[in-house]
Amino acid sequence: MRSYSATDYLSTEICFLLEIDIGGRTYRFSSFPIVLSFGGDSVMYNGSLDNPNLSISLEEVGKIKLSQSSVSMAVIFPFSVSSRQMQGLGIDRSACRLYYVTTKNKQPEQDFDRKIALFSGVIVDPVYGYPDLDPGYVEFSIENTVTISDRSLVRRIVGDAAFLAATQFSQEAYRVGAIAPPVDPDGITEVIRPHLGKCSPVVFGSPGSIEDDLGENYGFPSTPAYQIAFQNSGSFPSWYVIAGHPVAASTVDIYDNQGNVDTDITVYQQVGSKGQVYSFLNLHSSSSLDQTFTINNDIEYWVRWDDGGGLISPYDVGSSIQGGGDLLVFLLDSVRADFDRQAFSSVRSLLNQYIFAGYVNDVEIKCFEFLQRYIVPFLPISLVAGPTGLYPVIDHRLDDTYQNPRAEIIASETFSRIQPITPGDNEIVNDLTVRFAPQGASSNDDTYRGVAVIRYEKLEGVNAQYEIVSPYAIVSFQRYGRREQSISLEYVHDRSTAIRIGLDYIRRKSLPEKTTTYRAAFSFGYLDVGDIISLSDSEISLSSHRCQIVGKRYDGASWLYDILFQEDPISEVR
């Protein structure tokens, strides 16, 4: 989103601009008639626009808001609205774009290309045909919703070859050497019956590799492998599908649920009958694994990824996609959502510090569902619908290295508080157990192999890396006593990421959030929802306090800003 400095707004007035596309024509309205330069030409906005009832709000950290509150508008079209409605040429669902420019003496301070986007959407609920008003007069709302086309995550990656079937792997024309699964005289690979119809695994990151409590690396079975074929002669080879797509790994370790493991097994790739590339292993009788699956269907096979990961990243050639930033963009692209690519690019390096890994073999899990449940809740962002689609807003509590305050503001007549301070409803947590790295193989052990604890003190006489002391947890404990909670990370195997997520969680939950509202002169119009400000207000004992704008409204004469802040005796200077 384009940003403007405070100096652009001093001693100015506002002129709202509205563009509506109907029947291949763009109708332009404005608060008052105004002309914007456009290269060597000009664009006329004809007035006839009442000030909009504008209200924009921010979703809490870890959430996605696909729509903003609607904006109420009233305009006068140069035609009879009721007549067009009766002809089937109504204005319902017509695309709208709301902008504004600053003016001095009714002259614009920006040209056509630099007008400032506020809102976009479509017309809903038009009200027209007032007896005493112009036949072109209409009142309506603009509904801003980022539309998505959600689909199965497995089908997004694997396509039509989502399920294991004989014909899926039968493609003699594409066979490379003698390593690929065998085919019978009819060119068909006979998939072992108990695995027919199972879902081809989608694997990303490097699941199954973890650092233990003492800082040592070890592995465990994590993603499924399916024996699809075998030969009852020679070296008795067997073939195992480990992913329904190409992978970055060169070798993997494979386990059975009888306690056997075979390490550093070469990963092969082959083209199937529907043109998809899948990844598989080829084992022989010399393997330590129990390969008698055909006569003992209770045997399971699981894989550890420690030599490269799964699904290859479209953003980092040769590597598996695993960073939170890359996964966000990949999944938003997968559901064909409109999003601000420049804004996401600016936070990519931060979000990619959060490493995810795991597998999906349920065709019912959809891309957006996966994003909402397993990725966004554990990143320090919220996603909000804006004029150019979804854009990320970073949590204001992060270090200044990531996001410096947009402005330093001292409360005054031009930025004055009009509401009392209201406590939020966030639950207090100062003793957090983070469970991560779920194992795949069936066993009597705990499902999660990793644990990290963030609390106000370490266990006495114990020096374990899984215990982290947070200064915010200490302050919280001193005020509220012990408030414990646990969270489970189904798609995190990296200990550093688990700790990072836990520290973020404690930072948000250890002390109460508070909100209040300020009335601001138009000179503060450059501030947007999600912006970080440094606020000083002696009446409520704030001194250069780090706050976030979570709501913005226009009441016809000034901006109203909802401000979120949290007491921070650790880093704030009083």
Side-chain angles (χ1 to χ4, degrees):
M1 298 176 66
R2 181 182 287 123
S3 299
Y4 294 86
S5 65
T7 56
D8 290 331
Y9 293 85
L10 295 175
S11 304
T12 61
E13 294 180 300
I14 189 170
C15 179
F16 288 100
L17 311 172
L18 178 65
E19 297 178 351
I20 304 177
D21 298 332
I22 302 176
R25 176 180 173 182
T26 299
Y27 294 87
R28 294 186 171 91
F29 306 91
S30 52
S31 301
F32 50 82
I34 193 169
V35 177
L36 302 184
S37 61
F38 181 43
D41 207 342
S42 61
V43 178
M44 176 70 183
Y45 289 79
N46 297 313
S48 302
L49 174 66
D50 290 344
N51 283 336
N53 181 9
L54 175 68
S55 178
I56 304 173
S57 61
L58 178 66
E59 188 60 273
E60 66 179 277
V61 173
K63 297 291 181 65
I64 303 175
K65 188 171 186 178
L66 288 176
S67 64
Q68 289 285 7
S69 302
S70 60
V71 177
S72 299
M73 309 290 297
V75 302
I76 301 176
F77 282 104
F79 54 77
S80 170
V81 177
S82 58
S83 176
R84 288 180 65 98
Q85 291 286 125
M86 295 302 294
Q87 297 172 31
L89 303 173
I91 65 173
D92 298 51
R93 310 303 296 178
S94 295
C96 302
R97 297 169 297 280
L98 180 65
Y99 306 90
Y100 70 93
V101 293
T102 58
T103 66
K104 291 184 179 180
N105 300 320
K106 304 298 183 183
Q107 297 302 308
E109 295 293 303
Q110 293 87 24
D111 60 20
F112 180 82
D113 288 332
R114 296 182 65 242
K115 62 187 184 296
I116 302 145
L118 273 178
F119 207 82
S120 64
V122 296
I123 290 177
V124 295
D125 302 328
V127 179
Y128 54 90
Y130 286 88
D132 300 326
L133 296 179
D134 189 293
Y137 180 83
V138 59
E139 298 170 352
F140 56 86
S141 296
I142 302 176
E143 184 180 79
N144 176 315
T145 301
V146 176
T147 59
I148 63 172
S149 179
D150 210 357
R151 53 176 166 164
S152 164
L153 177 56
V154 171
R155 290 190 183 277
R156 161 67 177 88
I157 307 300
V158 181
D160 292 335
F163 299 102
L164 303 185
T167 55
Q168 177 179 335
F169 306 106
S170 305
Q171 184 55 283
E172 182 67 19
Y174 292 157
R175 286 173 58 78
V176 179
I179 298 298
V183 295
D184 63 17
D186 296 322
I188 295 176
T189 297
E190 290 287 353
V191 173
I192 296 174
R193 290 188 181 280
H195 283 158
L196 285 173
K198 290 187 177 180
C199 193
S200 297
V202 169
V203 181
F204 61 94
S206 299
S209 295
I210 186 177
E211 185 180 278
D212 68 14
D213 301 341
L214 301 178
E216 297 180 359
N217 292 318
Y218 76 98
F220 60 92
S222 181
T223 72
Y226 299 119
Q227 188 185 68
I228 60 167
F230 72 97
Q231 283 185 335
N232 198 20
S233 61
S235 60
F236 300 96
S238 297
W239 288 262
Y240 301 80
V241 169
I242 61 170
H245 52 81
V247 299
S250 300
T251 64
V252 297
D253 298 344
I254 184 169
Y255 301 71
D256 61 30
N257 60 342
Q258 310 301 307
N260 304 305
V261 60
D262 212 345
T263 61
D264 299 324
I265 304 302
T266 300
V267 176
Y268 299 98
Q269 297 179 357
Q270 177 68 25
V271 180
S273 59
K274 297 181 180 180
Q276 89 287 0
V277 177
Y278 61 94
S279 301
F280 69 94
L281 309 179
N282 180 216
L283 300 182
H284 297 264
S285 57
S286 57
S287 171
S288 59
L289 261 64
D290 186 334
Q291 300 189 72
T292 60
F293 176 78
T294 53
I295 58 176
N296 182 4
N297 296 160
D298 291 331
I299 295 178
E300 298 175 358
Y301 304 102
W302 296 86
V303 173
R304 173 203 181 189
W305 304 72
D306 64 340
D307 179 27
L311 182 66
I312 296 174
S313 171
Y315 317 111
D316 188 3
V317 178
S319 299
S320 176
I321 188 167
Q322 60 181 2
D326 288 347
L327 283 166
L328 269 178
V329 172
F330 178 78
L331 291 169
L332 289 174
D333 267 331
S334 297
V335 297
R336 300 182 178 90
D338 291 329
F339 61 95
D340 190 327
R341 294 180 183 274
Q342 183 177 358
F344 275 92
S345 178
S346 68
V347 300
R348 178 176 178 243
S349 61
L350 166 63
L351 300 183
N352 276 347
Q353 295 179 31
Y354 296 76
I355 305 300
F356 294 86
Y359 75 96
V360 179
N361 67 341
D362 182 353
V363 76
E364 297 298 323
I365 295 178
K366 295 187 176 182
C367 295
F368 194 73
E369 173 193 358
F370 186 83
L371 184 68
Q372 283 185 304
R373 290 180 59 184
Y374 301 115
I375 305 298
V376 173
F378 306 109
L379 295 176
I381 60 168
S382 55
L383 301 185
V384 183
T388 56
L390 286 174
Y391 66 95
V393 175
I394 297 296
D395 185 3
H396 71 284
R397 284 156 288 225
L398 283 183
D399 187 89
D400 289 353
T401 303
Y402 297 118
Q403 192 153 343
N404 292 322
R406 179 82 182 277
E408 296 183 3
I409 299 173
I410 299 175
S412 64
E413 291 184 357
T414 59
F415 198 92
S416 60
R417 189 167 50 87
I418 61 173
Q419 294 290 338
I421 296 173
T422 304
D425 57 0
N426 60 310
E427 182 181 5
I428 300 298
V429 178
N430 51 42
D431 190 331
L432 179 69
T433 300
V434 182
R435 302 167 73 231
F436 65 100
Q439 68 174 16
S442 300
S443 75
N444 294 323
D445 297 334
D446 197 321
T447 302
Y448 292 87
R449 301 296 291 267
V451 62
V453 179
I454 297 92
R455 52 165 57 116
Y456 48 87
E457 64 179 359
K458 282 193 173 185
L459 294 175
E460 187 174 350
V462 177
N463 184 23
Q465 291 195 14
Y466 70 87
E467 284 195 317
I468 308 294
V469 174
S470 164
Y472 291 98
I474 295 174
V475 172
S476 177
F477 173 74
Q478 291 170 346
R479 292 187 183 183
Y480 307 106
R482 185 182 183 188
R483 302 288 185 90
E484 60 181 323
Q485 193 176 105
S486 64
I487 59 175
S488 299
L489 308 178
E490 295 187 47
Y491 287 93
V492 172
H493 287 241
D494 176 66
R495 178 172 293 276
S496 295
T497 296
I499 292 173
R500 187 185 299 273
I501 290 171
L503 288 172
D504 289 348
Y505 196 89
I506 284 287
R507 181 67 184 87
R508 291 200 304 272
K509 301 286 190 178
S510 57
L511 297 169
E513 294 177 335
K514 299 180 180 181
T515 59
T516 188
T517 302
Y518 283 80
R519 181 183 299 279
F522 182 63
S523 58
F524 291 95
Y526 65 98
L527 296 173
D528 293 320
V529 166
D531 280 347
I532 309 299
I533 62 172
S534 175
L535 179 62
S536 296
D537 188 339
S538 59
E539 290 186 356
I540 54 175
S541 301
L542 293 184
S543 177
S544 300
H545 199 95
R546 193 174 176 86
C547 306
Q548 187 159 36
I549 296 173
V550 296
K552 179 177 182 178
R553 303 184 298 282
Y554 184 71
D555 68 354
S558 58
W559 296 107
L560 301 180
Y561 286 111
D562 297 325
I563 305 296
L564 172 71
F565 66 95
Q566 190 175 42
E567 294 180 15
D568 185 0
I570 304 299
S571 60
E572 298 288 353
V573 178
R574 288 281 185 243

